[in-house]
Coordinates of all heavy atoms in Angstrom, one line a residue:
Q17 N 0.8 -1.2 0.0 CA 0.0 0.0 0.0 C 0.9 1.3 0.0 O 2.0 1.2 0.4 CB -0.9 0.0 1.2 CG -2.0 -1.1 1.2 CD -3.0 -0.9 2.2 OE1 -3.3 0.2 2.7 NE2 -3.7 -2.0 2.7
L18 N 0.3 2.3 -0.5 CA 1.1 3.6 -0.6 C 1.6 4.1 0.8 O 2.5 4.9 0.8 CB 0.2 4.7 -1.3 CG 0.2 4.6 -2.8 CD1 -0.6 3.4 -3.3 CD2 -0.4 5.9 -3.4
R19 N 0.9 3.7 1.8 CA 1.3 4.2 3.2 C 2.0 3.1 4.0 O 2.3 3.3 5.2 CB 0.0 4.6 3.9 CG -1.0 3.6 4.0 CD -2.3 4.2 4.6 NE -3.4 3.2 4.4 CZ -4.1 2.7 5.4 NH1 -3.9 3.1 6.7 NH2 -5.1 1.9 5.2
D20 N 2.5 2.1 3.3 CA 3.3 1.0 4.0 C 4.7 1.4 4.1 O 5.6 0.9 3.5 CB 3.2 -0.3 3.3 CG 1.8 -1.0 3.4 OD1 1.1 -0.6 4.3 OD2 1.5 -1.9 2.7
W21 N 5.0 2.4 5.0 CA 6.4 3.0 5.0 C 7.4 2.1 5.6 O 8.6 2.3 5.4 CB 6.3 4.3 5.9 CG 5.5 5.4 5.3 CD1 4.3 5.8 5.7 CD2 5.7 6.1 4.1 NE1 3.7 6.8 4.9 CE2 4.6 7.0 3.9 CE3 6.7 6.1 3.2 CZ2 4.5 7.9 2.8 CZ3 6.7 7.0 2.1 CH2 5.6 7.9 1.9
D22 N 7.0 1.0 6.2 CA 8.0 0.0 6.8 C 8.2 -1.1 5.8 O 9.0 -2.0 6.1 CB 7.5 -0.5 8.1 CG 6.2 -1.2 8.1 OD1 5.5 -1.1 7.0 OD2 5.8 -1.8 9.1
A23 N 7.6 -1.2 4.6 CA 7.7 -2.3 3.7 C 8.9 -2.0 2.8 O 8.7 -2.0 1.5 CB 6.4 -2.5 2.9
Y24 N 10.1 -1.7 3.3 CA 11.2 -1.3 2.5 C 11.9 -2.4 1.7 O 12.0 -2.3 0.5 CB 12.2 -0.6 3.5 CG 13.4 -0.1 2.7 CD1 13.4 1.2 2.2 CD2 14.6 -0.8 2.6 CE1 14.5 1.7 1.5 CE2 15.7 -0.4 1.9 CZ 15.7 0.9 1.4 OH 16.8 1.4 0.7
D25 N 12.3 -3.4 2.4 CA 13.1 -4.5 1.7 C 12.4 -5.1 0.6 O 13.0 -5.2 -0.5 CB 13.6 -5.5 2.7 CG 14.5 -4.9 3.8 OD1 15.5 -4.2 3.4 OD2 14.4 -5.2 5.0
E26 N 11.2 -5.6 0.8 CA 10.5 -6.3 -0.3 C 10.2 -5.3 -1.5 O 10.1 -5.8 -2.6 CB 9.2 -6.9 0.2 CG 8.2 -6.0 0.8 CD 8.3 -5.9 2.4 OE1 9.5 -5.8 2.8 OE2 7.3 -5.8 3.0
T27 N 9.9 -4.1 -1.2 CA 9.6 -3.1 -2.2 C 10.8 -2.8 -3.1 O 10.8 -2.7 -4.3 CB 9.0 -1.8 -1.6 OG1 7.9 -2.2 -0.7 CG2 8.5 -0.9 -2.7
V28 N 12.0 -2.6 -2.4 CA 13.2 -2.4 -3.2 C 13.5 -3.6 -4.0 O 13.9 -3.4 -5.2 CB 14.4 -2.1 -2.2 CG1 15.7 -2.0 -2.9 CG2 14.1 -0.7 -1.5
E29 N 13.4 -4.8 -3.5 CA 13.7 -6.0 -4.2 C 12.8 -6.1 -5.5 O 13.2 -6.5 -6.5 CB 13.5 -7.2 -3.3 CG 13.8 -8.5 -4.0 CD 15.2 -8.7 -4.5 OE1 16.1 -8.0 -4.0 OE2 15.5 -9.6 -5.3
A30 N 11.5 -5.7 -5.3 CA 10.6 -5.8 -6.5 C 11.1 -4.9 -7.6 O 11.0 -5.2 -8.8 CB 9.2 -5.4 -6.0
G31 N 11.6 -3.7 -7.2 CA 12.1 -2.8 -8.2 C 13.3 -3.3 -8.9 O 13.5 -3.1 -10.1
Y32 N 14.2 -3.9 -8.1 CA 15.4 -4.5 -8.7 C 15.1 -5.6 -9.7 O 15.7 -5.6 -10.8 CB 16.3 -5.0 -7.5 CG 17.6 -5.7 -7.9 CD1 18.7 -4.9 -8.1 CD2 17.6 -7.0 -8.2 CE1 19.9 -5.5 -8.4 CE2 18.8 -7.7 -8.6 CZ 20.0 -6.9 -8.7 OH 21.1 -7.5 -9.1
V33 N 14.3 -6.5 -9.3 CA 13.9 -7.6 -10.2 C 13.2 -7.1 -11.5 O 13.6 -7.6 -12.6 CB 13.0 -8.6 -9.4 CG1 12.4 -9.7 -10.4 CG2 13.7 -9.3 -8.3
A34 N 12.3 -6.2 -11.3 CA 11.6 -5.7 -12.5 C 12.5 -4.9 -13.4 O 12.4 -5.0 -14.7 CB 10.5 -4.7 -12.0
T35 N 13.5 -4.3 -12.9 CA 14.5 -3.5 -13.8 C 15.4 -4.5 -14.5 O 15.6 -4.3 -15.7 CB 15.3 -2.6 -12.9 OG1 14.4 -1.7 -12.2 CG2 16.3 -1.7 -13.8
M36 N 15.9 -5.5 -13.8 CA 16.7 -6.5 -14.5 C 15.9 -7.2 -15.7 O 16.5 -7.3 -16.7 CB 17.2 -7.6 -13.5 CG 18.3 -7.1 -12.6 SD 19.8 -6.7 -13.5 CE 21.0 -6.5 -12.1
K37 N 14.7 -7.4 -15.4 CA 13.8 -8.0 -16.5 C 13.6 -7.1 -17.6 O 13.6 -7.5 -18.8 CB 12.5 -8.5 -15.9 CG 11.6 -9.2 -16.8 CD 10.3 -9.7 -16.2 CE 9.4 -10.4 -17.2 NZ 8.1 -10.9 -16.5
A38 N 13.3 -5.8 -17.3 CA 13.0 -4.8 -18.3 C 14.2 -4.6 -19.3 O 14.0 -4.2 -20.5 CB 12.6 -3.5 -17.7
F39 N 15.4 -4.8 -18.8 CA 16.6 -4.5 -19.6 C 17.0 -5.7 -20.4 O 18.0 -5.6 -21.2 CB 17.7 -4.0 -18.8 CG 17.7 -2.5 -18.6 CD1 17.1 -1.9 -17.5 CD2 18.3 -1.6 -19.5 CE1 17.1 -0.6 -17.3 CE2 18.3 -0.3 -19.4 CZ 17.7 0.3 -18.2
E40 N 16.3 -6.8 -20.3 CA 16.7 -8.0 -21.0 C 16.6 -7.8 -22.5 O 15.5 -7.4 -23.0 CB 15.9 -9.2 -20.6 CG 16.2 -9.8 -19.2 CD 15.3 -10.9 -18.8 OE1 14.5 -11.3 -19.7 OE2 15.5 -11.5 -17.7
G41 N 17.7 -8.0 -23.3 CA 17.6 -7.9 -24.7 C 17.8 -6.4 -25.2 O 17.9 -6.2 -26.4
K42 N 17.9 -5.5 -24.3 CA 18.2 -4.1 -24.6 C 19.7 -3.9 -24.9 O 20.5 -4.5 -24.2 CB 17.7 -3.2 -23.6 CG 16.2 -3.3 -23.2 CD 15.3 -2.9 -24.3 CE 13.8 -3.0 -23.9 NZ 12.9 -2.6 -25.0
K43 N 20.0 -3.0 -25.8 CA 21.4 -2.7 -26.2 C 21.8 -1.3 -25.7 O 22.7 -0.7 -26.3 CB 21.5 -2.8 -27.7 CG 21.1 -4.1 -28.3 CD 22.1 -5.2 -27.8 CE 21.7 -6.6 -28.4 NZ 22.6 -7.7 -27.9
I44 N 21.1 -0.8 -24.7 CA 21.4 0.6 -24.3 C 22.8 0.8 -23.8 O 23.5 1.7 -24.1 CB 20.4 1.1 -23.3 CG1 19.0 1.3 -24.0 CG2 20.8 2.4 -22.6 CD1 17.9 1.8 -23.1

């Protein structure tokens, strides 16, 4: 939730995983 200020670790990890996936096959 937007007000889950203590949900740090799992939220950061979700961003890390999604970014690694988004760059797959990209040549940037």
Side-chain angles (χ1 to χ4, degrees):
Q17 294 191 27
L18 278 70
R19 55 191 169 119
D20 287 344
W21 297 109
D22 58 350
Y24 181 85
D25 292 314
E26 59 266 42
T27 308
V28 171
E29 179 65 16
Y32 178 89
V33 170
T35 304
M36 286 295 192
K37 182 178 180 180
F39 273 94
E40 288 179 0
K42 303 292 184 180
K43 302 295 183 182
I44 288 181

